[in-house]
Amino acid sequence: MSKRQMIIGMHLGNGYGALAEAWRMPGVDPRAYTSFDAKVRQAQAAERGKFQFLFLPDGPHAAGGDIRYEPSGFNLDVMMTLAAVARGTERIGMVATGSTTFNEAFNLARHFKALDIMNHGRTGWNAVTSASPEVAANYGQRIPSSADRYGRAHEMIQIVQALWGSWGKDAWVADPETGEYAKDEEIAPINLGGEFVASRGPLYIPPSEQGQPVIFHAGGPSPNALSLAGRYASGFIAAAFTIEEARAQRRAFREATERAGRDPDEIKFFPGLMTTIAKDKRAALDRRITLTGRMFPQRAMYLQQMLGVRIDPARLDDPLSPEQLSRAHAAGGDPRAVRALEVARDGWSLRDVLAHGVIDYQPVVVGPVTEVADHMQEWFEAEAADGFWVIPDVYEGGLDAFVDGVVPILQERGLFHLDYEGTTLRDHLGARPQYGVDARVTG
Amino acid sequence: MSKRQMIIGMHLGNGYGALAEAWRMPGVDPRAYTSFDAKVRQAQAAERGKFQFLFLPDGPHAAGGDIRYEPSGFNLDVMMTLAAVARGTERIGMVATGSTTFNEAFNLARHFKALDIMNHGRTGWNAVTSASPEVAANYGQRIPSSADRYGRAHEMIQIVQALWGSWGKDAWVADPETGEYAKDEEIAPINLGGEFVASRGPLYIPPSEQGQPVIFHAGGPSPNALSLAGRYASGFIAAAFTIEEARAQRRAFREATERAGRDPDEIKFFPGLMTTIAKDKRAALDRRITLTGRMFPQRAMYLQQMLGVRIDPARLDDPLSPEQLSRAHAAGGDPRAVRALEVARDGWSLRDVLAHGVIDYQPVVVGPVTEVADHMQEWFEAEAADGFWVIPDVYEGGLDAFVDGVVPILQERGLFHLDYEGTTLRDHLGARPQYGVDARVTG
Ligand SMILES: Cc1cc2nc3c(=O)[nH]c(=O)nc-3n(C[C@H](O)[C@H](O)[C@H](O)COP(=O)(O)O)c2cc1C
Ligand SMILES: Cc1cc2nc3c(=O)[nH]c(=O)nc-3n(C[C@H](O)[C@H](O)[C@H](O)COP(=O)(O)O)c2cc1C
């Protein structure tokens, strides 16, 4: 029996990397935000590392801090970027967010299915509701209630999948000899209409090599998210700070999948992992100080809350005093506090505590390649993950360090495949094929 | 003073060419419908011919006849196709239809502006209302009244252009030395809201090489279309069957443009032209019989109405008899009847009359390259056109015949440029640059 192996996706955001000052780093194109070439190169590097997919989150709105000093975290346009990436890569899958709240079903179905044709069956749709008022404002609207958002999300996914399946597996003939172009009886309107979304169809796009795109979901384990992802998702993009939290989330999504009548192995669970890699711990911490140091005074205030002791932002070069350490505790219920306390107790200066990434949106490993591989192995073997979505600190440099440093270690340990097993995203995930009309007719 | 020269665009539809049996022709890839490579090759051929732009019409719905025998006339997905074309060409402009009726302003603005970044300022948006119930059904809606459609179209164009202009010309700095990423004061929300559409913005995309995409409109000279195109459009895609009709339409759009306070030369008028090219008339007629002959029995019935004489669809090899010719007249007010009568009087068999393309959606030239060049020269010099959107019968073969045969003749006659004068679509059209916030502030 073959050993269970992990699946790796790479975050692809604004083109620089995930950290505030990434765009200024040596070796990074400061104009990567509008450079499709840069994104294609980054995708090619991930493909060199045999990553199974790219993940492009999206608002659409401006994500991030102060535009005077740092770019929006999101991609210029996820569909246009993926079209470029599709034309510049051969095997890697590509998963983009498409809001179920602020898209017309027919438009979204068409863009994603066309991409799936273009990349020969390597597309996934991260179907999430939009919960941010900033996104709603771009559409001149307000954010609906959770019930309405998720009600619409169910209809969107059903209608989009039906549009994707408008053409049966063998509907497209295109035989110049006989003059037969398509089998009319295998192309059907969908005529679906719910409370929020409706479409008649059909969508005039034949099946791709994987039939149709794969459904992903991203978020936390809210009851609505559990039932949506449990019903439709083949991949779940998660945020979890500890092994325990990730195991609990993974278990909850597997149970939700089972409740929806599916095999729990059909949903793959991917917690995030940010990396800052250098030859040793000290060099990696220094790299991260360069990349995020500007935020440290502000983050020191969070750290004070997390540890329940007063911190002087002017004295970040000192470690916590023995007196402070005796009073410090994981305060305020933030799951990151436990790790922050651990690092502080190891005697690092406060600057280095922050440089460990104890306050960030995802778990962070700052260190040499083996430390990254160890983290992944530990989470994977504890059944806290089926794989990861990896967020390199900087694209190109920081990504290359992962691809050329961490991947070979995982492969040596038998934890990661040596090459792609197939050509489609469904192949990469082990998700079953999904076609249209004829499948519906013949069951 | 330099001589006025024509501007040429190429229709890019389903990837085969405009005629029913194009997909079956030798040299045509029968799977071109889903082949982005095929579309890139076609765009490259048009670029070899120094065409100023590609025109991709769109529903989105299935256009055309019986899917058992012929493909939908529209493109799989105009934006995904243009992304591929953007990456595979250097100079040619690209204009795609985006419905003002069934798109969210923010989504449409983002896709088109991202494309304009990708192709370095070569994008145009054909902003048309959707008038077909088949399109509405794909969105689970009905077609609104003309007043509501055009009311929304005005708001869409204004809001989309404002989103495109969210970033001032010099807002984006990205200087790694100083750490300045962008000038906050030159990036502004738009806060526009009308009766139909609203958006707060900003759109997080800096200006392209041409500032922002160029507005086109396509249709006929309805009062609503005149005032929309007169106000915003730099290019107008038209259908006109005779020089007189085209001159009248062109004049009407120029007047509408003047009424909107603009220079009438700011709107370029492009009637359509379908071509079937071969070494001589007979070979060209035969080629067109191969390409459209299946429709002839049905078209013979139209011809009967157009000429006001009984036609026997079983005897298409005969010309009209002297007795029929004496009674034949341009009947029923169809502008195409005049030309049909002319061709019938020349003594062609009824099959050949139909093969002249007298019943089609656009004027048709079936003949050798000089006949095509003569048609274009005549219309252009009669001020019936500022150029044409050309619809080759078959892509690749039929397109190559135009590029390598007609273009050199037009160039020799001084009617068409020898090379691109600039790099952007605005350059190609002579349209003035258009930027954002700073222009609004400084007037
Ligand atoms: C790892 C992760 C990735 C996410 N990616 C996106 C995204 O790309 N776009 C988006 O609008 N929301 C994204 N979200 C937000 C979630 O989809 C969701 O709105 C949020 O978790 C609130 O969920 P709830 O409404 O079920 O409580 C993401 C959340 C997480 C944890
Ligand atoms: C040459 C030409 C091209 C057109 N292209 C499109 C198109 O790509 N998409 C579309 O929905 N309508 C297209 N139309 C339809 C027009 O935009 C418009 O809906 C129609 O002319 C009715 O206009 P009215 O509502 O002003 O009467 C086209 C019409 C013409 C004549």
Side-chain angles (χ1 to χ4, degrees):
Chain A
M1 220 193 85
S2 72
K3 193 175 155 184
R4 180 174 159 257
Q5 289 188 317
M6 60 177 71
I7 293 167
I8 303 181
M10 181 184 79
H11 172 271
L12 185 59
N14 55 22
Y16 302 111
L19 298 183
E21 315 261 317
W23 69 272
R24 299 179 64 182
M25 291 288 283
V28 173
D29 174 2
R31 301 267 164 179
Y33 185 54
T34 59
S35 168
F36 291 88
D37 289 340
K39 277 134 196 160
V40 171
R41 276 197 309 274
Q42 293 151 10
Q44 286 169 340
E47 191 170 72
R48 190 175 79 238
K50 314 296 179 193
F51 288 20
Q52 279 88 348
F53 65 95
L54 304 166
F55 170 51
L56 287 75
D58 195 29
H61 67 294
D66 188 332
I67 188 75
R68 287 177 296 174
Y69 309 113
E70 57 174 299
S72 165
F74 288 133
N75 205 283
L76 206 63
D77 182 282
V78 295
M79 297 316 288
M80 291 292 124
T81 296
L82 286 183
V85 167
R87 304 277 303 166
T89 56
E90 298 284 330
R91 302 297 276 280
I92 195 164
M94 39 199 88
V95 180
T97 295
S99 167
T100 58
T101 310
F102 298 117
N103 271 296
E104 300 282 359
F106 193 84
N107 294 343
L108 188 140
R110 193 181 184 205
H111 293 321
F112 274 84
K113 184 82 182 283
L115 178 66
D116 206 39
I117 295 289
M118 193 177 213
N119 64 21
H120 301 287
R122 297 187 279 141
T123 304
W125 171 32
N126 179 34
V128 300
T129 73
S130 291
S132 139
E134 286 191 297
V135 176
N138 283 335
Y139 297 90
Q141 294 182 40
R142 284 162 188 265
I143 292 294
S145 69
S146 175
D148 280 0
R149 277 189 288 123
Y150 278 90
R152 185 180 161 100
H154 276 270
E155 293 182 14
M156 278 287 284
I157 296 176
Q158 288 174 32
I159 288 176
V160 166
Q161 286 193 317
L163 286 167
W164 286 343
S166 299
W167 287 47
K169 188 173 181 186
D170 304 308
W172 195 29
V173 182
D175 181 349
E177 294 300 316
T178 63
E180 184 181 24
Y181 190 73
K183 292 196 211 304
D184 198 27
E185 68 280 11
E186 291 195 18
I187 299 173
I190 64 162
N191 286 316
L192 284 174
E195 197 180 332
F196 305 93
V197 193
S199 184
R200 187 177 73 183
L203 181 67
Y204 273 75
I205 306 186
S208 74
E209 283 80 347
Q210 67 172 355
Q212 53 174 266
V214 180
I215 305 292
F216 272 62
H217 187 74
S222 75
N224 283 335
L226 282 164
S227 68
L228 191 82
R231 183 152 172 193
Y232 309 102
S234 299
F236 190 86
I237 307 276
F241 289 101
T242 62
I243 288 192
E244 295 66 39
E245 192 190 350
R247 288 187 64 169
Q249 274 198 36
R250 179 168 177 267
R251 199 178 315 115
F253 281 100
R254 290 174 62 87
E255 283 166 9
T257 302
E258 218 163 2
R259 275 198 302 279
R262 300 162 68 208
D263 182 333
D265 286 340
E266 283 186 32
I267 192 166
K268 301 289 189 275
F269 183 82
F270 305 112
L273 170 63
M274 300 183 84
T275 55
T276 291
I277 296 171
K279 65 177 194 310
D280 57 34
K281 191 85 183 175
R282 182 69 261 155
L285 289 170
D286 288 343
R287 178 175 165 93
R288 203 166 163 97
I289 289 167
T290 309
L291 278 160
T292 62
R294 190 168 50 77
M295 268 91 136
F296 281 9
Q298 190 193 353
R299 294 217 164 150
M301 297 296 91
Y302 283 121
L303 191 61
Q304 173 169 302
Q305 286 168 33
M306 277 165 66
L307 300 183
V309 290
R310 255 193 86 78
I311 286 174
D312 180 353
R315 304 197 48 178
L316 295 183
D317 288 328
D318 300 335
L320 288 186
S321 68
E323 188 271 332
Q324 281 174 311
L325 274 175
S326 70
R327 283 190 297 111
H329 58 284
D334 189 316
R336 297 171 296 187
V338 178
R339 168 128 177 88
L341 189 60
E342 226 174 71
V343 178
R345 282 190 179 144
D346 284 346
W348 296 99
S349 74
L350 287 169
R351 190 180 314 281
D352 285 341
V353 171
L354 292 168
H356 274 78
V358 297
I359 302 176
D360 219 314
Y361 295 108
Q362 304 294 332
V364 179
V365 178
V366 179
V369 285
T370 45
E371 203 173 318
V372 177
D374 292 347
H375 171 103
M376 294 173 81
Q377 177 163 12
E378 191 187 354
W379 283 51
F380 183 66
E381 291 182 345
E383 308 212 320
D386 296 297
F388 300 86
W389 60 289
V390 175
I391 311 153
D393 54 1
V394 165
Y395 294 131
E396 319 215 29
L399 167 57
D400 291 340
F402 194 104
V403 165
D404 303 319
V406 180
V407 166
I409 299 175
L410 296 173
Q411 288 171 327
E412 266 164 47
R413 296 183 188 175
L415 293 166
F416 190 57
H417 66 180
L418 300 178
D419 203 351
Y420 294 103
E421 292 78 21
T423 61
T424 69
L425 179 56
R426 281 179 198 278
D427 292 339
H428 304 344
L429 297 171
R432 62 184 168 69
Q434 195 173 359
Y435 290 94
V437 182
D438 59 347
R440 274 187 266 157
V441 171
T442 63
Chain B
M1 218 194 86
S2 71
K3 191 174 155 186
R4 180 175 159 256
Q5 290 189 317
M6 61 178 70
I7 293 168
I8 303 182
M10 180 183 80
H11 171 271
L12 185 59
N14 55 23
Y16 301 111
L19 297 184
E21 315 261 318
W23 69 272
R24 298 179 65 183
M25 290 288 282
V28 173
D29 174 1
R31 302 264 163 184
Y33 185 55
T34 58
S35 168
F36 291 87
D37 289 340
K39 278 135 197 162
V40 170
R41 276 198 309 275
Q42 292 152 12
Q44 287 168 340
E47 190 170 73
R48 189 176 80 238
K50 314 295 180 194
F51 288 18
Q52 280 87 348
F53 66 93
L54 304 167
F55 169 51
L56 286 75
D58 195 30
H61 68 294
D66 189 332
I67 188 74
R68 286 177 298 173
Y69 310 112
E70 56 174 300
S72 166
F74 288 134
N75 205 284
L76 206 64
D77 183 280
V78 295
M79 297 316 288
M80 291 292 124
T81 296
L82 287 183
V85 167
R87 303 278 302 167
T89 56
E90 298 284 331
R91 302 295 277 278
I92 194 164
M94 40 199 87
V95 181
T97 296
S99 168
T100 57
T101 311
F102 297 118
N103 271 297
E104 299 282 359
F106 193 84
N107 294 342
L108 189 141
R110 192 180 184 206
H111 292 319
F112 274 84
K113 183 82 181 285
L115 178 66
D116 206 39
I117 294 290
M118 194 177 212
N119 64 20
H120 301 287
R122 296 186 280 141
T123 304
W125 172 31
N126 180 34
V128 301
T129 75
S130 291
S132 139
E134 287 190 296
V135 176
N138 284 336
Y139 297 89
Q141 294 182 41
R142 282 158 190 270
I143 292 294
S145 70
S146 176
D148 281 359
R149 275 189 289 124
Y150 278 90
R152 185 181 162 99
H154 276 270
E155 292 182 13
M156 277 288 285
I157 296 176
Q158 288 175 33
I159 288 177
V160 166
Q161 286 192 316
L163 286 167
W164 286 343
S166 298
W167 287 48
K169 189 172 180 185
D170 304 308
W172 194 30
V173 182
D175 181 348
E177 293 300 314
T178 62
E180 185 182 23
Y181 190 73
K183 292 197 209 305
D184 198 27
E185 69 280 10
E186 290 195 18
I187 299 173
I190 65 163
N191 285 317
L192 284 175
E195 198 181 329
F196 304 94
V197 193
S199 184
R200 187 177 74 185
L203 181 67
Y204 272 76
I205 307 186
S208 73
E209 283 80 348
Q210 67 172 354
Q212 53 174 265
V214 181
I215 305 292
F216 273 62
H217 188 73
S222 74
N224 282 337
L226 283 163
S227 68
L228 192 81
R231 182 151 172 194
Y232 310 102
S234 299
F236 190 86
I237 307 277
F241 290 100
T242 62
I243 287 190
E244 296 66 38
E245 191 191 349
R247 286 187 65 170
Q249 274 198 36
R250 179 168 177 270
R251 198 178 316 113
F253 281 100
R254 290 174 63 85
E255 283 166 12
T257 302
E258 219 164 1
R259 275 199 302 280
R262 301 162 66 207
D263 182 332
D265 286 339
E266 283 188 31
I267 192 165
K268 301 291 189 277
F269 183 81
F270 305 111
L273 171 62
M274 299 183 84
T275 55
T276 291
I277 296 170
K279 64 178 193 311
D280 58 34
K281 190 83 182 174
R282 183 67 261 156
L285 290 170
D286 289 342
R287 178 175 164 93
R288 203 165 163 97
I289 289 168
T290 309
L291 279 160
T292 60
R294 190 166 52 73
M295 269 92 136
F296 280 8
Q298 190 193 350
R299 295 219 164 148
M301 297 297 91
Y302 284 121
L303 191 60
Q304 172 169 302
Q305 287 168 33
M306 277 165 68
L307 300 183
V309 290
R310 253 193 85 78
I311 286 175
D312 180 354
R315 302 196 51 180
L316 296 184
D317 287 328
D318 300 335
L320 289 186
S321 67
E323 188 272 328
Q324 282 174 310
L325 273 176
S326 71
R327 287 191 294 111
H329 59 284
D334 189 317
R336 298 171 295 187
V338 178
R339 168 128 176 88
L341 188 60
E342 224 174 72
V343 177
R345 285 192 177 140
D346 285 346
W348 296 99
S349 73
L350 288 168
R351 191 181 312 282
D352 286 342
V353 172
L354 292 168
H356 274 79
V358 296
I359 303 176
D360 219 314
Y361 295 107
Q362 304 294 332
V364 179
V365 177
V366 179
V369 286
T370 46
E371 203 175 318
V372 177
D374 292 347
H375 171 103
M376 294 172 81
Q377 178 162 13
E378 192 187 355
W379 283 52
F380 183 66
E381 291 182 344
E383 307 212 321
D386 296 298
F388 302 86
W389 59 289
V390 175
I391 312 154
D393 54 0
V394 165
Y395 293 131
E396 318 214 32
L399 167 58
D400 291 339
F402 194 105
V403 166
D404 302 319
V406 180
V407 166
I409 299 174
L410 296 172
Q411 288 171 327
E412 266 164 45
R413 296 183 188 173
L415 294 166
F416 189 58
H417 66 179
L418 300 177
D419 203 351
Y420 294 103
E421 293 78 21
T423 61
T424 68
L425 179 56
R426 283 180 196 277
D427 291 340
H428 303 343
L429 297 171
R432 61 182 170 71
Q434 194 173 359
Y435 291 94
V437 180
D438 59 346
R440 273 186 268 158
V441 172
T442 63

XYZ file of all heavy atoms in Angstrom, chain A residues 55-61 74 96-99 126-132 135 146 149-150 217-226 236-239 270 272 361-362 389, ligand 1:
342
model
N -3.074 29.024 -5.063
C -4.310 29.557 -4.473
C -4.277 31.076 -4.543
O -3.392 31.716 -3.986
C -4.470 29.096 -3.019
C -5.587 29.810 -2.280
C -6.862 29.890 -2.829
C -5.358 30.407 -1.043
C -7.881 30.563 -2.167
C -6.379 31.085 -0.370
C -7.642 31.157 -0.929
N -5.258 31.658 -5.239
C -5.374 33.105 -5.376
C -6.589 33.587 -4.613
O -7.719 33.497 -5.109
C -5.498 33.509 -6.848
C -4.218 33.407 -7.683
C -3.884 31.963 -8.019
C -4.312 34.245 -8.935
N -6.383 34.099 -3.395
C -7.523 34.658 -2.663
C -7.946 35.962 -3.325
O -7.214 36.526 -4.133
C -6.958 34.907 -1.268
C -5.493 35.086 -1.466
C -5.119 34.277 -2.690
N -9.141 36.421 -2.992
C -9.625 37.641 -3.633
C -10.755 38.240 -2.828
O -11.508 37.510 -2.185
C -10.126 37.321 -5.044
C -10.290 38.566 -5.892
O -9.555 39.540 -5.652
O -11.149 38.571 -6.783
N -10.878 39.562 -2.892
C -11.985 40.264 -2.246
C -13.229 40.246 -3.099
O -14.119 39.438 -2.857
N -13.358 41.021 -4.132
C -12.345 41.973 -4.562
C -12.471 43.330 -3.858
O -13.495 43.984 -3.888
C -12.658 42.122 -6.045
C -14.112 41.845 -6.182
C -14.499 40.979 -5.041
N -11.367 43.666 -3.228
C -11.195 44.999 -2.655
C -9.702 45.125 -2.355
O -8.939 44.204 -2.638
C -12.037 45.180 -1.391
C -11.598 44.332 -0.241
N -11.684 42.957 -0.275
C -11.057 44.630 0.960
C -11.227 42.464 0.876
N -10.831 43.447 1.630
N -4.065 41.624 -2.570
C -4.721 40.805 -3.590
C -4.116 41.019 -4.970
O -3.429 42.002 -5.244
C -6.218 41.100 -3.654
C -6.990 40.560 -2.480
C -7.918 41.357 -1.813
C -6.801 39.257 -2.046
C -8.641 40.852 -0.736
C -7.524 38.748 -0.973
C -8.442 39.556 -0.314
N -8.858 29.852 -7.748
C -9.069 31.273 -7.468
C -10.388 31.463 -6.740
O -11.359 30.743 -6.977
C -9.073 32.088 -8.752
N -10.402 32.480 -5.899
C -11.645 32.873 -5.244
C -12.555 33.576 -6.241
O -12.108 34.422 -7.013
C -11.333 33.844 -4.082
O -10.575 33.143 -3.108
C -12.614 34.380 -3.448
N -13.821 33.203 -6.218
C -14.851 33.932 -6.949
C -16.022 34.106 -5.991
O -16.593 33.115 -5.528
N -16.350 35.330 -5.672
C -17.399 35.586 -4.680
C -18.737 35.013 -5.135
O -19.178 35.250 -6.259
C -17.539 37.092 -4.462
O -18.719 37.379 -3.741
N -12.671 28.613 -5.720
C -12.848 28.816 -4.287
C -14.133 29.605 -4.079
O -14.154 30.831 -4.216
C -11.640 29.550 -3.697
C -11.802 29.799 -2.203
O -12.401 28.980 -1.492
N -11.278 30.910 -1.721
N -15.210 28.889 -3.790
C -16.544 29.485 -3.701
C -16.789 29.964 -2.281
O -17.090 29.166 -1.399
C -17.595 28.459 -4.119
N -16.602 31.258 -2.064
C -16.838 31.821 -0.728
C -17.836 32.971 -0.816
O -17.966 33.619 -1.850
C -15.535 32.364 -0.080
C -14.495 31.258 0.061
C -14.965 33.543 -0.851
N -18.524 33.191 0.285
C -19.404 34.356 0.360
C -18.532 35.565 0.691
O -17.461 35.426 1.271
C -20.457 34.190 1.464
O -19.826 34.346 2.734
C -21.122 32.810 1.386
N -18.979 36.738 0.309
C -18.261 37.964 0.660
C -18.829 38.507 1.956
O -20.030 38.752 2.046
C -18.419 39.008 -0.440
O -17.737 38.600 -1.588
N -17.941 38.687 2.932
C -18.423 39.124 4.244
C -17.935 40.522 4.598
O -18.246 41.026 5.664
C -17.992 38.119 5.306
N -17.203 41.164 3.696
C -16.616 42.460 4.063
C -17.403 43.627 3.463
O -17.711 43.653 2.267
C -15.161 42.495 3.590
O -14.842 43.753 3.051
N -16.037 45.158 0.259
C -16.371 44.502 -1.008
C -17.770 44.935 -1.445
O -17.979 45.344 -2.597
C -16.302 42.967 -0.868
C -16.753 42.294 -2.157
C -14.892 42.527 -0.495
N -25.847 36.311 7.123
C -25.157 35.052 6.863
C -26.108 34.057 6.193
O -25.727 33.353 5.257
C -24.606 34.481 8.169
O -24.030 33.216 7.953
N -26.412 35.068 2.597
C -25.161 34.830 1.876
C -24.971 33.348 1.565
O -24.633 32.970 0.441
C -23.962 35.315 2.703
C -23.693 36.791 2.572
C -22.385 37.159 3.236
N -22.458 37.116 4.689
C -21.671 36.385 5.476
N -20.737 35.600 4.952
N -21.813 36.424 6.782
N -25.190 32.529 2.572
C -24.979 31.102 2.347
C -26.114 30.487 1.534
O -25.902 29.546 0.773
C -24.738 30.373 3.673
C -23.297 30.501 4.112
C -22.880 31.553 4.925
C -22.333 29.611 3.638
C -21.542 31.695 5.294
C -20.999 29.748 3.999
C -20.609 30.784 4.822
O -19.289 30.917 5.162
N -13.421 25.592 -0.805
C -13.969 26.620 0.076
C -12.854 27.063 1.012
O -11.945 26.283 1.296
C -15.183 26.098 0.852
C -15.887 27.169 1.638
N -16.682 28.123 1.042
C -15.891 27.454 2.961
C -17.151 28.945 1.970
N -16.685 28.553 3.154
N -12.921 28.320 1.462
C -11.909 28.839 2.392
C -12.617 29.523 3.538
O -13.609 30.213 3.325
C -11.007 29.847 1.677
N -12.109 29.361 4.738
C -12.697 30.060 5.875
C -12.498 29.318 7.167
O -11.515 28.594 7.342
N -13.439 29.521 8.068
C -13.402 28.854 9.364
C -14.596 27.913 9.483
O -15.424 27.833 8.578
N -14.665 27.198 10.614
C -15.684 26.155 10.752
C -17.014 26.673 11.280
O -17.545 26.115 12.240
C -15.018 25.183 11.731
C -14.156 26.064 12.594
C -13.730 27.228 11.749
N -17.571 27.731 10.682
C -18.917 28.154 11.082
C -19.900 27.091 10.603
O -19.620 26.366 9.653
C -19.247 29.517 10.465
O -19.534 29.395 9.089
N -21.059 26.977 11.256
C -22.031 25.952 10.840
C -22.374 26.063 9.348
O -22.450 25.057 8.643
C -23.255 26.244 11.714
C -22.723 26.978 12.910
C -21.524 27.740 12.435
N -22.544 27.300 8.858
C -22.869 27.464 7.447
C -21.729 27.029 6.530
O -21.958 26.430 5.480
C -23.228 28.923 7.153
C -24.627 29.272 7.612
O -25.480 28.380 7.722
N -24.874 30.545 7.873
N -20.514 27.349 6.942
C -19.357 26.953 6.135
C -19.206 25.438 6.136
O -18.903 24.823 5.106
C -18.082 27.621 6.653
N -19.436 24.823 7.289
C -19.342 23.356 7.366
C -20.329 22.700 6.419
O -19.983 21.766 5.686
C -19.608 22.886 8.801
C -18.433 23.060 9.785
C -18.900 22.948 11.226
C -17.343 22.022 9.492
N -10.344 22.349 1.134
C -10.697 23.397 2.094
C -9.444 24.141 2.527
O -8.509 23.560 3.061
C -11.407 22.804 3.324
C -11.976 23.890 4.199
C -13.233 24.395 3.938
C -11.222 24.441 5.224
C -13.751 25.446 4.698
C -11.730 25.496 5.986
C -12.993 25.985 5.731
N -9.443 25.453 2.273
C -8.314 26.323 2.625
C -8.605 26.899 4.001
O -9.595 27.619 4.174
C -8.195 27.480 1.613
C -8.136 26.960 0.177
C -7.032 28.388 1.964
C -6.794 26.532 -0.298
N -7.728 26.582 4.964
C -8.026 26.915 6.357
C -6.972 27.817 6.971
O -5.880 27.987 6.437
C -8.132 25.632 7.165
N -7.342 28.385 8.104
C -6.380 29.080 8.958
C -6.475 28.418 10.326
O -7.554 28.392 10.925
C -6.720 30.558 9.048
N -6.431 21.995 4.093
C -5.138 22.679 3.913
C -4.980 23.875 4.837
O -5.415 24.970 4.496
C -5.002 23.176 2.475
C -5.183 22.114 1.434
C -6.283 22.125 0.588
C -4.251 21.096 1.314
C -6.447 21.135 -0.378
C -4.411 20.104 0.353
C -5.513 20.121 -0.497
N -2.795 26.961 6.464
C -1.758 27.814 5.890
C -0.424 27.659 6.598
O -0.352 27.132 7.713
N -1.215 36.198 10.332
C -2.511 35.608 9.979
C -2.479 34.097 9.851
O -3.502 33.456 9.728
C -3.035 36.231 8.672
C -3.341 37.686 8.821
C -2.533 38.648 8.249
C -4.437 38.096 9.579
C -2.809 40.001 8.413
C -4.724 39.445 9.747
C -3.907 40.395 9.158
O -4.179 41.719 9.327
N -1.288 33.552 9.802
C -1.122 32.109 9.646
C 0.039 31.663 10.520
O 0.859 32.491 10.929
C -0.794 31.762 8.175
C -1.800 32.257 7.166
C -3.152 31.598 7.305
O -3.258 30.459 7.772
N -4.209 32.306 6.933
N -1.342 25.174 2.353
C -1.126 26.251 1.366
C -0.022 27.110 1.945
O -0.085 27.623 3.053
C -2.394 27.009 1.010
C -3.132 27.711 2.108
C -3.843 27.131 3.114
C -3.251 29.131 2.299
N -4.390 28.091 3.927
C -4.050 29.336 3.448
C -2.771 30.242 1.607
C -4.381 30.609 3.921
C -3.101 31.506 2.081
C -3.896 31.676 3.227
C -7.671 30.898 4.979
C -8.798 31.780 4.595
C -8.894 32.249 3.296
C -9.942 33.072 2.926
N -10.002 33.530 1.635
C -10.988 34.382 1.298
C -11.040 34.942 0.007
O -10.192 34.684 -0.841
N -12.022 35.809 -0.280
C -12.981 36.140 0.634
O -13.855 36.941 0.309
N -12.982 35.619 1.862
C -11.998 34.759 2.216
N -11.983 34.250 3.487
C -13.088 34.586 4.399
C -14.057 33.411 4.506
O -14.471 32.962 3.244
C -15.292 33.760 5.293
O -15.950 34.858 4.773
C -14.984 34.082 6.705
O -14.217 33.012 7.221
C -16.272 34.251 7.522
O -16.977 33.057 7.400
P -18.452 32.837 7.961
O -19.334 33.786 7.214
O -18.760 31.405 7.662
O -18.388 33.101 9.432
C -10.930 33.431 3.867
C -10.820 32.947 5.185
C -9.778 32.145 5.550
C -9.697 31.676 6.959
